[in-house]
Amino acid sequence: QEANLQEADLRESDLQEVDLSGGNLSDADLRLANLNGADLRRADLRRADLRLANLNGADLSDADLRGADLQEVDLNGVNLRVANLNGANLRVTDLRLANLN
């Protein structure tokens, strides 16, 4: 079953390698959360606050990141294939090695 964490306060949470695929995390506060290796495929992350979150090795393919705040997030090696980044804040975000194809 897909998690419903809409508007959840998950600041500084350890969500390493957790399966949140297809989950609703819209408007969630994920600042400084450890999402290393997390499965976020098809997750609804609209307007989520991901500032300074650890997304190393996370799978965000087909995720909805419209309006999400990804400021100062290192997205090196993150799978963003078919992810919707419309209106996302990517200021000071490292996308050099992110998979965008």
Side-chain angles (χ1 to χ4, degrees), residues 13-87:
S13 295
D14 185 1
L15 300 169
Q16 184 169 336
E17 297 185 18
V18 71
D19 183 356
L20 292 169
S21 58
N24 181 359
L25 292 129
S26 60
D27 299 298
D29 187 347
L30 291 155
R31 286 176 288 171
L32 295 165
N34 180 9
L35 291 156
N36 182 30
D39 185 351
L40 294 160
R41 291 173 294 148
R42 300 176 319 283
D44 181 352
L45 289 154
R46 287 175 294 151
R47 300 171 307 279
D49 190 345
L50 290 151
R51 286 177 288 170
L52 297 169
N54 176 5
L55 289 166
N56 290 328
D59 189 348
L60 287 156
S61 57
D62 205 23
D64 189 348
L65 291 152
R66 289 178 288 167
D69 193 343
L70 293 157
Q71 186 172 332
E72 297 186 63
V73 174
D74 183 354
L75 294 174
N76 277 321
V78 174
N79 186 356
L80 288 164
R81 291 175 35 163
V82 197
N84 188 341
L85 292 161
N86 284 337

